[in-house]
Amino acid sequence: MYKSNIGLLLLSLFIFISCNKDETIGRNILQKPVISLDSETGIYVIKVGKELTIAPTVEHTEDAIYSWIVNGKLVGMESTYTATWTEKGVFYVIFRVETPGGTAEEELRVDVAELAPPVISLVLPSRGLKVLSGTDYLFTPDIQNQNEHNFRCEWIRDGKVVYTGVSYTFNESRLGSYPITIKASNIDGETIKEIVVEVVETLPYEVKFEKPSYFQTSTDRYTFAGRPVYLSPLLEYFDRPDYTWSVDGVVKEGENNQTFVFTPSKVGEYTIKVSVAENPNATKSLTRNITRATTTLSAEVIVHCSARKQEDNFRPASANSLRTQHKVYEYTPAPGQFIGELNTAGFTGNERTQADAIAYATRRLSVKNYVSLGGFGGYIIVGFDHSVPKTSNQYDFTIQGNAFDGSSEPGIVWVMQDINANGLPDDEWYELKGSETGKEGTIQNHAVTYYRPAGKGMDVRWTDSKGNSGKIDYLLAYHAQDFYYPQWVKEDAYTLRGTFLQSKNIQDPSSGIWKNQAYDWGYVDNFGKDQLTGGNTQDGSGQKNGFKLSNAIFRDRTAVDLQYIDFVKVQVGVNAKSGPIGEVSTEVFSFIDLSITN
């Protein structure tokens, strides 16, 4: 969320001078540097009076200029930074690398304490750690403060120390669950982390269909005659899947892609089945090369074709209808600095269930206070007490954010009709296209998995469907709630999916000011061309974007004819952070039907 930290700016001390064209003749295309910190969490713990060396790994360093900045002051210009920390406290350090190919930057935290016991960090799969029988699995945890006196790391199984050292290779042929304890100690204390390894004969392949939202359980799909549904299974552990689709037991010849488009021509219920077979050739897993036996799994989804027509379900507005949203149906943000925040964000600290989260969001929207959606994929679902019609107006409805020039945090808009007429948002979501739809770098059905941090005040780690990883930074200086991970999400990891946009945040090389640049049109909390008049362009107060139902699209980006909608979902569309300002996170304040003017 850019707005709350706009005054906290860093002064850039050096202006990067790029190479001229003559200097680049004959060279390969220069790549932006990539920084990998030597701490998995980005947090370094050190004792008062002790020396700490921070040694990141940097790729693409040709003609690199390094900058280490502490409290706005340049303290080093080497690829590593060594300092003796003489004061107790929490210190934020910026490491910046500038090359002709671009600029990369990481913010890290140094906790200077009177004591510095070991800190163990180990990211595990969201579904638990599963290892094939009789194969090696190498544990390489990140353990800080190994240089303190009397450091020792022990790996314990069945009450016995089986290995002494930081890295440990696990190998077990017998199937079952094996608890393992990591015990790290030094002169200042002891830290214990417990994990469970499940030894399996085959990896737990899985095929399932996506639900309309995270907290729903049914995967059933609903449509009208002649309107297609797009079906794509979600897979686990498959490397080279082959697909076979069938409808009511009849195999659809030639349909062997991951996405199957089914268009019912008449009323009824249809059972759609997908069978996914793993290619029997040798494939590479994440940890080792193995030859897998042929594996085939199936999943089914029921598609309901309504006997009603689109116009039959329209709910006209009455004299008592609300112009704004009537109800919040779900609030599932990604982790972020304003999730659980007790001051400006208005959380109580007691939000422990989805009902609590919905009550929080309802309370905030009712008085047009912002609701933050956290990082990429975080979303909110609202509904109206009537159907919002497609009109001849320029826009059919509007959503309030708080964007201003230099501060756009785009949210993707999805809409839904109540096809099954049950009053719940459990039907088909249709994206409203925007200026980035179809552009290179825009990814549909992108997925990011967030992992619950091991303790209070820690960053939130994430991995995505493209193999990338990173973290939502814990910004202690600004927002000090215990966790940025939503406390009403009970799982230790959860996955959010949606449309991904290329980020447009930049840092001015001379002033150090971060700017989240605007997209042309089509997004919430965005300083684009589709803004309604009346908003404050200095702080974003009252800023609104307008939206048209004529922009609704199917997954293949073809238009869908929606004469009205009943539900709206806003989902954060970028996965980016702007230095000390933190993650880019969409904020919403209200949803307004423009067909109601009174």
Side-chain angles (χ1 to χ4, degrees):
M1 182 179 182
Y2 193 143
K3 297 87 187 177
S4 294
N5 296 333
I6 190 68
L8 301 168
L9 304 175
L10 294 174
L11 179 63
S12 178
L13 303 176
F14 289 88
I15 302 175
F16 177 72
I17 307 300
S18 62
C19 298
N20 60 37
K21 293 182 179 179
D22 292 336
E23 293 173 329
T24 61
I25 293 176
R27 294 185 181 182
N28 294 328
I29 297 176
L30 296 175
Q31 298 186 56
K32 179 179 177 180
V34 177
I35 300 172
S36 299
L37 294 177
D38 54 338
S39 165
E40 182 179 336
T41 63
I43 301 174
Y44 298 79
V45 181
I46 191 72
K47 277 200 302 188
V48 172
K50 292 289 186 177
E51 185 180 82
L52 171 67
T53 296
I54 305 173
T57 299
V58 184
E59 301 176 38
H60 315 308
T61 58
E62 183 178 1
D63 297 328
I65 298 176
Y66 301 99
S67 301
W68 293 88
I69 301 169
V70 179
N71 295 334
K73 296 181 180 180
L74 182 69
V75 296
M77 295 186 63
E78 302 296 330
S79 60
T80 63
Y81 176 59
T82 300
T84 299
W85 300 81
T86 59
E87 297 181 15
K88 179 181 177 181
V90 177
F91 301 89
Y92 289 88
V93 181
I94 300 294
F95 176 50
R96 184 180 302 151
V97 183
E98 297 170 285
T99 73
T103 299
E105 182 177 286
E106 284 287 342
E107 183 183 51
L108 52 97
R109 192 177 98 197
V110 178
D111 293 350
V112 184
E114 294 180 358
L115 298 177
V119 178
I120 303 173
S121 180
L122 183 65
V123 174
L124 298 173
S126 60
R127 296 173 57 202
L129 179 58
K130 303 178 191 306
V131 176
L132 285 173
S133 171
T135 60
D136 290 345
Y137 187 94
L138 178 64
F139 287 97
T140 56
D142 174 18
I143 304 180
Q144 296 184 36
N145 301 322
Q146 298 183 37
N147 295 327
E148 295 298 317
H149 292 302
N150 300 328
F151 174 78
R152 183 178 177 85
C153 182
E154 299 176 332
W155 297 80
I156 302 171
R157 285 181 57 181
D158 299 325
K160 299 179 181 179
V161 176
V162 294
Y163 187 75
T164 301
V166 174
S167 297
Y168 167 58
T169 300
F170 175 90
N171 189 308
E172 177 61 57
S173 59
R174 295 173 299 167
L175 305 183
S177 296
Y178 295 87
I180 295 178
T181 299
I182 311 171
K183 181 190 292 185
S185 60
N186 61 24
I187 192 172
D188 288 333
E190 179 181 272
T191 302
I192 292 177
K193 185 177 183 67
E194 296 181 349
I195 57 178
V196 176
V197 181
E198 184 179 355
V199 177
V200 296
E201 186 173 358
T202 59
L203 291 175
Y205 297 98
E206 184 176 36
V207 178
K208 62 182 179 181
F209 282 99
E210 189 175 0
K211 301 174 295 183
S213 63
Y214 182 77
F215 280 94
Q216 293 183 16
T217 57
S218 176
T219 60
D220 285 14
R221 307 288 288 272
Y222 299 87
T223 189
F224 297 114
R227 181 186 291 182
V229 292
Y230 290 69
L231 303 170
S232 300
L234 305 176
L235 308 182
E236 291 281 358
Y237 290 101
F238 282 90
D239 288 327
R240 300 179 183 179
D242 292 329
Y243 301 92
T244 301
W245 292 90
S246 65
V247 178
D248 290 337
V250 179
V251 174
K252 308 300 289 184
E253 298 295 337
E255 294 289 350
N256 52 16
N257 295 320
Q258 184 174 5
T259 299
F260 173 53
V261 183
F262 175 65
T263 307
S265 58
K266 59 182 180 179
V267 174
E269 292 185 357
Y270 301 84
T271 300
I272 313 297
K273 180 179 179 179
V274 62
S275 296
V276 185
E278 178 71 286
N279 190 306
N281 296 327
T283 60
K284 179 182 286 188
S285 74
L286 293 177
T287 56
R288 64 193 71 84
N289 290 322
I290 59 175
T291 300
R292 295 171 173 169
T294 302
T295 299
T296 302
L297 292 179
S298 301
E300 293 183 349
V301 62
I302 305 299
V303 175
H304 305 261
C305 182
S306 176
R308 299 167 65 84
K309 297 181 180 179
Q310 179 180 181
E311 55 268 24
D312 296 335
N313 287 355
F314 179 76
R315 299 174 299 137
S318 69
N320 296 321
S321 292
L322 295 175
R323 192 183 188 209
T324 59
Q325 72 285 340
H326 165 64
K327 184 175 181 179
V328 176
Y329 287 88
E330 186 173 336
Y331 173 47
T332 304
Q337 59 181 306
F338 285 89
I339 307 306
E341 205 268 345
L342 303 178
N343 297 316
T344 59
F347 281 90
T348 65
N350 297 317
E351 289 80 10
R352 292 292 184 270
T353 66
Q354 175 64 189
D356 295 337
I358 290 173
Y360 160 81
T362 300
R363 183 174 67 251
R364 297 280 291 182
L365 294 182
S366 67
V367 292
K368 295 187 177 181
N369 278 337
Y370 76 81
V371 174
S372 176
L373 305 183
F376 173 83
Y379 67 88
I380 189 170
I381 299 173
V382 304
F384 293 84
D385 62 6
H386 61 283
S387 297
V388 178
K390 179 191 292 185
T391 66
S392 58
N393 295 334
Q394 182 180 8
Y395 298 111
D396 300 313
F397 65 95
T398 185
I399 302 174
Q400 181 182 351
N402 57 355
F404 55 91
D405 190 13
S407 179
S408 291
E409 301 177 286
I412 310 292
V413 179
W414 304 77
V415 295
M416 177 185 287
Q417 291 180 328
D418 191 6
I419 297 174
N420 59 16
N422 67 353
L424 298 174
D426 56 1
D427 299 274
E428 292 293 294
W429 285 114
Y430 303 103
E431 182 179 352
L432 296 189
K433 67 180 179 182
S435 58
E436 309 308 294
T437 301
K439 288 187 177 180
E440 183 178 359
T442 299
I443 305 172
Q444 292 180 297
N445 203 30
H446 184 65
V448 174
T449 299
Y450 297 96
Y451 302 89
R452 187 188 304 277
K456 298 178 181 179
M458 297 183 67
D459 301 332
V460 179
R461 310 297 297 187
W462 59 260
T463 57
D464 71 10
S465 51
K466 293 297 182 181
N468 302 309
S469 62
K471 56 188 173 67
I472 300 290
D473 295 331
Y474 184 84
L475 304 176
L476 177 64
Y478 313 134
H479 306 289
Q481 66 269 33
D482 290 342
F483 299 98
Y484 291 178
Y485 191 97
Q487 294 304 286
W488 57 93
V489 175
K490 300 307 180 185
E491 295 82 1
D492 287 335
Y494 67 117
T495 300
L496 299 177
R497 292 178 172 83
T499 296
F500 170 90
L501 308 178
Q502 288 279 20
S503 58
K504 288 191 174 185
N505 59 329
I506 60 171
Q507 185 182 28
D508 188 287
S510 58
S511 68
I513 296 175
W514 281 91
K515 291 185 178 180
N516 295 338
Q517 299 181 107
Y519 298 73
D520 285 347
W521 60 274
Y523 307 103
V524 179
D525 199 7
N526 176 54
F527 198 72
K529 300 174 182 178
D530 53 7
Q531 297 183 90
L532 278 66
T533 58
N536 188 317
T537 59
Q538 299 301 314
D539 64 8
S541 300
Q543 182 268 338
K544 300 182 183 69
N545 299 94
F547 299 94
K548 303 175 183 179
L549 297 186
S550 58
N551 285 325
I553 55 175
F554 290 111
R555 290 190 182 182
D556 63 358
R557 301 197 296 275
T558 58
V560 53
D561 178 25
L562 299 182
Q563 297 304 311
Y564 63 89
I565 53 99
D566 300 288
F567 308 102
V568 178
K569 175 171 71 172
V570 176
Q571 163 245 323
V572 181
V574 296
N575 189 5
K577 54 188 179 184
S578 298
I581 296 168
E583 78 284 348
V584 177
S585 56
T586 306
E587 278 75 54
V588 295
F589 292 71
S590 66
F591 300 72
I592 299 175
D593 175 6
L594 295 179
S595 71
I596 298 180
T597 58
N598 185 357

